[in-house]
């Protein structure tokens, strides 16, 4: 199953809205076939592994991270291919959580005389597919809030300067995150201050850009902003309130730029209903790379599933920098937001803290 998990990871960034799935066929203690789901609409992991095993699959054991499908989608049911192959035993990481799929893969296989074992390395499989699980069970994207901070908790100096708090190794990891998610979101303040491209830039990966979402309540974005003038394989969505300059909207329209109207409260886009809108557009995962105001709005709205914070060995040395969040916090420590399942990673001299705010994959 560990081998199947590693294979599944090779599909990260390419399979959305489908899950990451890896499969291994074992006979007489030897691996005779392996595969993973490479892209949505392509062959499933089980099919790849069975085809590689060929006749050696007869009487073998199939290890697969996710319950084999028993329905007709863009590809035929994997359960029928398993039966035809002659496999006698199937070991599954976790059951398919998708309520829109009738499923029954486990039951179908058992009814046809195949031994089935489930729940192997289940926590690891669910963590790997936390985007998919959140989306299919709630129809909303899995949300990661990422930021880089000094050791004394600032994301920028009083002038707004934040380049570069974190080191190049940390920034490369962020680009891998962008490659993995469907969309990245920032506020208009970040666009004005940093003029980012919000694209994926990796040297060793055939990567794709995430959809770029800009929160701009009054539509004040400059037409010269880099994010509006990209040669990219994904679109930019500007989210505005309803009270905007329509002539300005017409001037900003161009190929690859989309506009979306959302509810506004206290001058800010309401993020909770926005998540439902993004979910309807098929966005399964969202990376927030905003400033203090967007971060504060996200945490206040309760939309964040996971935090990734990079702490650099730097000290601002004052209280006039930009904090991670702005807005009203709680009054009592007992009411603070608990972060669970903490993991700590090191990128050269940066420390990365990763954790879940609402149970994340464990809740699914």
């Amino acid at each position: 199953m560990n081998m199947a998990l590693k294979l599944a990871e090779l599909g990260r960034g390419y399979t959305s809205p489908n899950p990451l799935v890896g499969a291994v066929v074992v006979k007489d203690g030897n691996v005779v076939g392996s595969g993973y789901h490479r892209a949505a609409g392509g062959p499933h992991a089980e099919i790849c592994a069975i085809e590689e095993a060929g006749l050696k699959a007869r009487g073998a054991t199939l290890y697969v991270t996710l319950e084999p499908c028993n329905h007709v989608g863009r590809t035929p049911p994997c359960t029928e291919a398993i039966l035809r192959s002659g496999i006698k035993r199937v070991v599954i990481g976790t059951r398919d959580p998708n309520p829109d799929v009738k499923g029954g893969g486990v039951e179908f296989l058992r009814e046809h005389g195949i031994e089935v074992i489930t729940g192997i390395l289940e926590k690891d499989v669910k963590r790997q597919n936390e985007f998919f699980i959140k989306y299919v069970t709630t129809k909303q994207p899995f949300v990661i809030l990422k930021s880089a901070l000094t050791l004394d908790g600032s994301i920028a100096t009083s002038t707004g300067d934040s380049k570069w708090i974190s080191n190049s190794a940390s920034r490369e990891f962020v680009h891998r995150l962008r490659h993995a998610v469907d969309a990245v979101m920032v506020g208009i303040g970040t666009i004005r201050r940093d003029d980012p491209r919000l694209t994926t830039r990796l040297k060793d990966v055939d990567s794709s850009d995430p959809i770029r979402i800009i929160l701009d309540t009054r539509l004040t974005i400059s037409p010269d902003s880099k994010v509006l003038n990209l040669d990219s394989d994904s679109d930019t969505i500007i989210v505005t309130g309803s009270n905007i300059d329509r002539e300005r909207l017409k001037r900003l329209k161009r190929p690859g730029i989309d506009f979306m109207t959302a509810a506004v409260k206290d001058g800010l886009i309401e993020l909770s209903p926005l998540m439902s809108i993004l979910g309807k557009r098929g966005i399964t995962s969202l990376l927030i790379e905003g400033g203090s105001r967007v971060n504060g709005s996200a945490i206040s709205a309760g939309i964040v599933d996971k935090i990734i914070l990079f702490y650099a060995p730097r000290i601002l040395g004052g209280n006039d920098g930009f904090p991670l969040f702005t807005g009203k916090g709680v009054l009592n420590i007992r009411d603070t937001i608990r972060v669970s399942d903490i993991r700590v990673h090191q990128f050269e001299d940066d420390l990365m803290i990763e954790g879940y705010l609402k149970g994340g994959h464990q809740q699914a």
Side-chain angles (χ1 to χ4, degrees):
M1 192 61 72
N2 269 319
M3 184 181 295
L5 277 163
K6 290 178 182 177
L7 284 167
E9 196 61 32
L10 296 175
R12 189 170 294 280
Y14 305 107
T15 66
S16 182
N18 290 356
L20 300 169
V21 185
V24 179
V25 179
V26 177
K27 188 172 185 179
D28 300 326
N30 297 312
V31 174
V32 295
S34 63
Y36 66 97
H37 185 41
R38 294 174 180 268
H44 288 189
E46 303 94 313
I47 304 302
C48 296
I50 288 169
E51 288 182 351
E52 185 176 289
L55 294 176
K56 293 179 182 178
R58 189 161 298 278
T61 296
L62 170 68
Y63 293 84
V64 59
T65 56
L66 190 69
E67 178 182 10
C69 65
N70 190 41
H71 65 283
V72 177
R74 284 192 273 184
T75 58
C78 290
T79 50
E80 294 182 3
I82 292 170
L83 288 183
R84 290 194 301 270
S85 73
I87 284 171
K88 294 300 182 185
R89 182 170 176 256
V90 178
V91 180
I92 298 169
T94 191
R95 299 288 294 259
D96 189 340
N98 191 348
D100 292 336
V101 173
K102 292 181 180 179
V106 168
E107 289 74 18
F108 179 89
L109 293 172
R110 284 174 175 162
E111 288 169 2
H112 287 79
I114 293 179
E115 179 187 357
V116 180
I117 298 172
T118 63
I120 305 303
L121 297 185
E122 187 166 25
K123 184 177 179 180
D124 294 324
V125 174
K126 285 186 173 182
R127 179 189 288 272
Q128 185 177 66
N129 274 304
E130 57 196 8
F131 298 174
F132 173 75
I133 292 172
K134 167 77 181 292
Y135 181 71
V136 298
T137 55
T138 68
K139 304 305 179 189
Q140 295 191 3
F142 185 94
V143 179
I144 302 170
L145 190 150
K146 161 262 162 186
S147 193
L149 304 89
T150 62
L151 287 179
D152 50 349
S154 291
I155 64 172
T157 68
S158 59
T159 65
D161 182 30
S162 62
K163 292 186 177 181
W164 294 103
I165 291 177
S166 57
N167 61 35
S168 59
S170 296
R171 296 197 296 275
E172 181 179 351
F173 181 82
V174 172
H175 281 281
R176 294 187 182 279
L177 276 176
R178 289 182 183 176
H179 167 66
V181 299
D182 288 346
V184 58
M185 185 172 78
V186 301
I188 187 61
T190 295
I191 299 297
R192 289 198 199 102
R193 183 175 62 250
D194 299 334
D195 196 18
R197 286 175 285 176
L198 301 176
T199 53
T200 302
R201 299 183 292 280
L202 292 169
K203 295 179 181 178
D204 60 337
V205 175
D206 181 18
S207 58
S208 58
D209 292 335
I211 295 168
R212 295 163 294 277
I213 300 172
I214 314 301
L215 304 178
D216 188 6
T217 308
R218 294 181 297 276
L219 193 58
T220 60
I221 191 168
S222 166
D224 297 325
S225 299
K226 290 177 182 176
V227 77
L228 299 184
N229 297 278
L230 294 171
D231 179 14
S232 174
D233 56 8
S234 66
D235 291 342
T236 295
I237 300 174
I238 302 177
V239 184
T240 74
S242 57
N243 188 22
I244 59 172
D245 185 333
R246 297 295 164 180
E247 289 302 316
R248 182 174 178 77
L249 175 64
K250 290 179 182 178
R251 292 195 298 271
L252 286 170
K253 282 187 175 180
R254 63 193 74 177
I257 310 297
D258 196 6
F259 295 87
M260 179 190 300
T261 302
V264 174
K265 184 178 181 180
D266 299 328
L268 301 175
I269 301 293
E270 287 199 79
L271 296 184
S272 185
L274 177 61
M275 294 305 105
S276 297
I277 296 171
L278 297 181
K280 289 177 182 177
R281 287 195 170 213
I283 293 175
T284 70
S285 53
L286 174 68
L287 177 64
I288 297 177
E289 294 194 58
S292 303
R293 189 165 65 171
V294 170
N295 292 345
S297 294
I299 211 79
S300 176
I303 66 167
V304 179
D305 296 288
K306 186 177 188 177
I307 58 165
I308 294 180
L309 304 179
F310 295 90
Y311 283 91
R314 302 173 183 271
I315 295 174
L316 192 67
N319 65 353
D320 58 347
F322 284 77
L324 179 58
F325 304 111
T326 57
K328 279 191 173 183
V330 300
L331 299 179
N332 300 296
I333 291 297
R334 67 174 179 270
D335 298 323
T336 53
I337 300 167
R338 294 287 298 180
V339 181
S340 63
D341 202 4
I342 294 289
R343 292 189 175 191
V344 179
H345 311 268
Q346 188 159 355
F347 294 93
E348 296 176 358
D349 55 357
D350 285 353
L351 286 180
M352 187 188 97
I353 296 179
E354 171 186 24
Y356 294 86
L357 268 60
K358 296 186 293 187
H361 66 289
Q362 296 175 353
Q363 188 182 52

